[in-house]
Amino acid sequence: MKDFLRSACSECGGAVRSRTITQEFEREGLRVSVSGIRALVCTKCDAVYFEPGGAQALVEAVNSLFALAKRNQQHKGKLVSAV
């Protein structure tokens, strides 16, 4: 990740900085929000970058949360998780 901090944003050329972010996902009227995600974010255009494998891990976690919420009907339209 340190090497990536030295490179520019591939979208706009801006600087990227390490931040903790929250991402929200929606599927079939159900929203899942995951907070505490470590990512690199462009200071100009807010493009988000993850470490190798990080995006796939996030997708798997979100899919699991959707499956849990649907299976157990443990939601009222939004499910929130912290990493």
Side-chain angles (χ1 to χ4, degrees), residues 14-73:
V16 293
R17 299 287 180 254
S18 181
R19 286 189 16 205
T20 300
I21 63 169
T22 298
Q23 292 279 289
E24 193 166 284
F25 306 86
E26 186 168 348
R27 184 184 300 163
E28 299 174 13
L30 176 64
R31 286 183 294 157
V32 170
S33 180
V34 182
S35 62
I37 304 165
R38 195 168 136 227
L40 296 170
V41 181
C42 177
T43 58
K44 279 176 97 176
C45 72
D46 290 328
V48 177
Y49 300 91
F50 296 102
E51 289 185 32
Q56 183 60 37
L58 179 58
V59 166
E60 290 170 6
V62 169
N63 285 337
S64 294
L65 289 170
F66 277 123
L68 175 67
K70 229 177 161 179
R71 181 175 44 247
N72 296 329
Q73 297 178 354

